[in-house]
């Protein structure tokens, strides 16, 4: 969409085309709406010969929100994802980075990520974002979500004030509602109507804005309906594990050779368990029968070990998190965390230079572990 001025700027009705294109892409709640708006735009402005638009249309299933927003992307759009990945490696690698240096810098990027998350998790446990309403649902999310995800939830809850719901009809166990939202675009206000399906028996709720499916956060429309119906608690399926503050994310378990974290007991144990499971997996892979037996056994183990997982995971954070086992200074003064405000170029030079200087000191230790960690990268990826 950033290429619109370049690709369509030569048309006389450029401004109108730009608006029509934006409306078709961003305002279409369903694929049918998108198809209809797109076709109207092409017809009205005689854009039949524009190859760029034809190409965009051919690939519509991969980028137009109406097609992709019922798939979970953790809220990332294509450009946001690219920005996110660039940001992840920004300051660590550049076009001249060798493969060998890349691996070292990958570790540094990972270390910073782990440190940042540990600090964020620590704050989520240590401090609580206050509720803005007296709804029990808000308390439910406040208890389990990280502070930043809870704030995202609160943002939706706040926007609920611009919505009101209307009962439309009942079809068996399913109730159909419409939620009208008063939105402001520039100086203009307009009402947008969203359809919501609610199955009270199964407690399933689906809104046509697909906010939950796309971002993993219940939308203002659903919250409007649930609070109106005085629902006190949402089922666990609407509380995503990934946003919980007591979740250890995958990269926390990867052993790295960077200083300060390599002896994390959790990572060490995880590494040891992976090696042990590898042998078991080799034995299980011999035949379908042994594979099925092993899968069943692992399933039982999962049940056995998940019984107290919430409590034990929280304990892991408190007792064995790499950043706060008696080293409070690391938490209170996170010097290793990158600042978003500094110019990328400056950041790049500083990071690379600094890491290169540290490289020599680490080299001896890394040699010993290099082979193992490379395997871990691929496992992680
Ligand atoms: Zn919605």
């Amino acid at each position: 969409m950033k290429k619109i001025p370049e690709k369509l700027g030569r048309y006389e009705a450029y401004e109108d085309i730009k608006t029509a294109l934006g409306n078709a892409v961003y305002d279409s709640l369903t694929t049918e709406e998108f198809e209809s708006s797109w076709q109207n735009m092409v017809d009205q402005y005689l854009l039949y010969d524009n190859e760029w638009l034809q190409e965009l249309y051919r690939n519509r299933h991969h980028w137009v929100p109406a097609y992709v927003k019922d798939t979970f992307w953790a809220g990332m759009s294509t450009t946001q994802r690219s920005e996110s990945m660039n940001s992840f490696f920004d300051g660590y690698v550049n076009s001249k980075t060798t493969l060998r240096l890349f691996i070292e810098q990958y570790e540094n990027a990972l270390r910073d990520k782990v440190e940042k998350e540990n600090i964020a998790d620590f704050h989520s446990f240590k401090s609580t974002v206050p509720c803005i309403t007296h709804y029990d649902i808000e308390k439910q999310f406040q208890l389990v979500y990280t502070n930043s995800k809870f704030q995202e939830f609160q943002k939706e809850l706040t926007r609920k004030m611009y919505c009101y719901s209307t009962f439309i009809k009942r079809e068996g166990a399913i109730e159909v509602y419409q939620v009208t939202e008063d939105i402001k675009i520039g100086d203009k206000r307009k009402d947008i109507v969203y359809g919501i399906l609610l199955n009270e028996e199964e407690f399933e709720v689906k809104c046509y804005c697909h906010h939950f499916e796309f971002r993993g956060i219940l939308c203002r429309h659903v919250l409007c309906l649930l609070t109106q119906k005085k629902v006190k608690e949402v089922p666990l399926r609407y509380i995503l594990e990934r946003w919980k503050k007591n979740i250890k994310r995958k990269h926390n378990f990867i052993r790295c050779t960077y200083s300060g974290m390599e002896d994390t007991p959790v990572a060490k144990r995880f590494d040891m368990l992976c090696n042990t499971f590898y042998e078991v997996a080799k034995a299980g892979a011999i035949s379908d029968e042994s594979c099925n037996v092993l899968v069943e056994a692992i399933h039982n183990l999962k049940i056995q070990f998940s019984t107290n997982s919430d409590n034990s995971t929280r304990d892991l954070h408190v007792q064995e998190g790499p950043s706060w086992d008696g080293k409070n200074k690391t938490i209170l003064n996170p010097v290793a965390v990158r600042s978003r405000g500094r110019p990328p170029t400056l950041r790049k030079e500083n990071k690379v230079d600094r890491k290169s200087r540290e490289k020599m000191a680490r080299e001896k230790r890394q040699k010993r572990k290099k082979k193992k960690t490379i395997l871990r990268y691929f496992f992680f990826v």
Side-chain angles (χ1 to χ4, degrees):
M1 297 297 281
K2 283 179 187 164
K3 289 185 179 171
I4 291 176
E6 177 198 336
K7 301 289 183 183
L8 303 175
R10 63 193 163 89
Y11 288 94
E12 208 172 301
Y14 167 67
E15 287 299 331
D16 293 336
I17 297 173
K18 190 174 140 191
T19 307
L21 185 56
N23 289 345
V25 171
Y26 296 118
D27 290 350
S28 301
L29 286 176
T30 62
T31 54
E32 292 78 17
E33 268 183 55
F34 168 77
E35 296 281 348
S36 161
S37 303
W38 186 278
Q39 196 54 53
N40 287 344
M41 174 189 74
V42 172
D43 291 342
Q44 187 174 351
Y45 301 105
L46 305 172
L47 300 167
Y48 305 107
D49 297 332
N50 189 297
E51 285 181 18
W52 181 67
L53 282 176
Q54 286 170 6
E55 181 71 19
L56 283 185
Y57 183 75
R58 269 197 296 277
N59 291 315
R60 63 195 181 285
H61 300 96
H62 300 296
W63 68 277
V64 175
Y67 287 93
V68 299
K69 69 184 176 181
D70 56 352
T71 306
F72 182 64
W73 296 101
M76 295 185 293
S77 71
T78 47
T79 50
Q80 280 168 337
R81 177 174 169 75
S82 149
E83 281 161 10
S84 169
M85 290 310 286
N86 285 341
S87 156
F88 188 87
F89 287 115
D90 191 18
Y92 299 95
V93 296
N94 55 44
S95 56
K96 294 196 174 82
T97 305
T98 61
L99 183 59
R100 188 175 180 282
L101 188 59
F102 171 79
I103 290 176
E104 286 171 17
Q105 293 297 69
Y106 180 91
E107 276 202 340
N108 290 326
L110 203 61
R111 177 198 55 199
D112 278 6
K113 187 94 173 158
V114 170
E115 281 182 358
K116 269 185 186 175
E117 289 214 353
N118 283 338
I119 290 163
D121 284 349
F122 175 77
H123 287 304
S124 290
F125 276 116
K126 196 182 171 192
S127 60
T128 307
V129 176
C131 286
I132 52 173
T133 68
H134 59 227
Y135 297 127
D136 293 313
I137 294 179
E138 190 186 8
K139 285 199 190 79
Q140 193 185 0
F141 283 95
Q142 183 199 38
L143 276 175
V144 291
Y145 270 16
T146 63
N147 284 353
S148 69
K149 281 297 155 187
F150 177 58
Q151 281 167 326
E152 267 185 52
F153 170 84
Q154 284 187 318
K155 208 169 151 190
E156 288 302 307
L157 195 59
T158 309
R159 291 174 72 182
K160 173 188 95 67
M161 74 173 80
Y162 299 112
C163 306
Y164 67 89
S165 67
T166 315
F167 174 75
I168 301 298
K169 61 179 174 179
R170 173 181 278 277
E171 291 173 353
I174 296 173
E175 292 175 359
V176 182
Y177 289 86
Q178 273 185 352
V179 169
T180 308
E181 182 181 4
D182 179 336
I183 65 160
K184 198 173 178 190
I185 304 169
D187 293 333
K188 291 179 185 166
R189 282 170 61 183
K190 105 178 177 188
D191 281 351
I192 298 190
V193 178
Y194 297 88
I196 294 188
L197 303 178
L198 174 69
N199 183 334
E200 272 198 277
E201 283 173 24
E202 307 282 328
F203 205 142
E204 270 187 54
V205 62
K206 199 173 180 69
C207 177
Y208 282 114
C209 81
H210 294 292
H211 193 270
F212 178 74
E213 288 82 352
F214 185 70
R215 291 184 182 275
I217 300 281
L218 281 176
C219 67
R220 50 205 176 274
H221 319 114
V222 167
L223 292 173
C224 171
L225 181 62
L226 296 186
T227 50
Q228 190 178 308
K229 290 180 84 68
K230 306 220 182 301
V231 171
K232 290 193 169 178
E233 205 173 70
V234 298
L236 291 180
R237 76 170 76 96
Y238 297 111
I239 299 178
L240 298 192
E241 289 290 309
R242 60 166 52 226
W243 305 144
K244 286 185 177 177
K245 51 184 149 192
N246 62 358
I247 290 298
K248 276 274 182 189
R249 290 166 184 84
K250 276 184 186 173
H251 56 251
N252 287 54
F253 294 106
I254 309 302
R255 285 190 77 181
C256 288
T257 56
Y258 45 71
S259 60
M261 283 196 182
E262 63 179 311
D263 295 321
T264 305
V266 177
K268 263 187 167 180
R269 286 195 292 267
F270 184 80
D271 191 60
M272 191 269 282
L273 285 170
C274 280
N275 289 332
T276 312
F277 283 141
Y278 179 76
E279 293 302 321
V280 181
K282 271 201 319 191
I286 289 171
S287 68
D288 283 345
E289 196 185 0
S290 60
C291 180
N292 292 337
V293 171
L294 182 57
V295 168
E296 181 66 27
I298 290 173
H299 180 70
N300 291 334
L301 279 173
K302 267 166 80 178
I303 295 170
Q304 190 184 331
F305 279 84
S306 64
T307 315
N308 295 316
S309 62
D310 276 2
N311 292 335
S312 59
T313 315
R314 180 167 180 159
D315 288 347
L316 288 178
H317 273 254
V318 176
Q319 294 166 6
E320 291 164 349
S323 298
W324 55 79
D325 46 353
K327 299 171 187 170
N328 286 337
K329 278 180 188 171
T330 317
I331 306 160
L332 298 173
N333 186 22
V335 288
V337 177
R338 287 184 300 114
S339 159
R340 290 179 69 87
R342 294 167 64 192
T345 47
L346 185 64
R347 210 157 59 207
K348 264 180 197 170
E349 287 172 8
N350 282 348
K351 279 282 180 187
V352 174
D353 288 349
R354 184 163 64 81
K355 297 308 161 199
S356 298
R357 283 198 301 279
E358 290 172 2
K359 188 180 67 173
M360 294 298 286
R362 289 197 314 267
E363 204 153 20
K364 198 175 173 185
R365 180 158 35 84
Q366 284 179 336
K367 260 184 191 170
R368 205 170 56 241
K369 294 183 178 175
K370 184 68 67 186
K371 193 177 173 185
K372 203 171 192 177
T373 39
I374 288 173
L375 284 172
R376 284 280 166 260
Y377 297 132
F378 289 106
F379 169 77
F380 174 65
V381 168

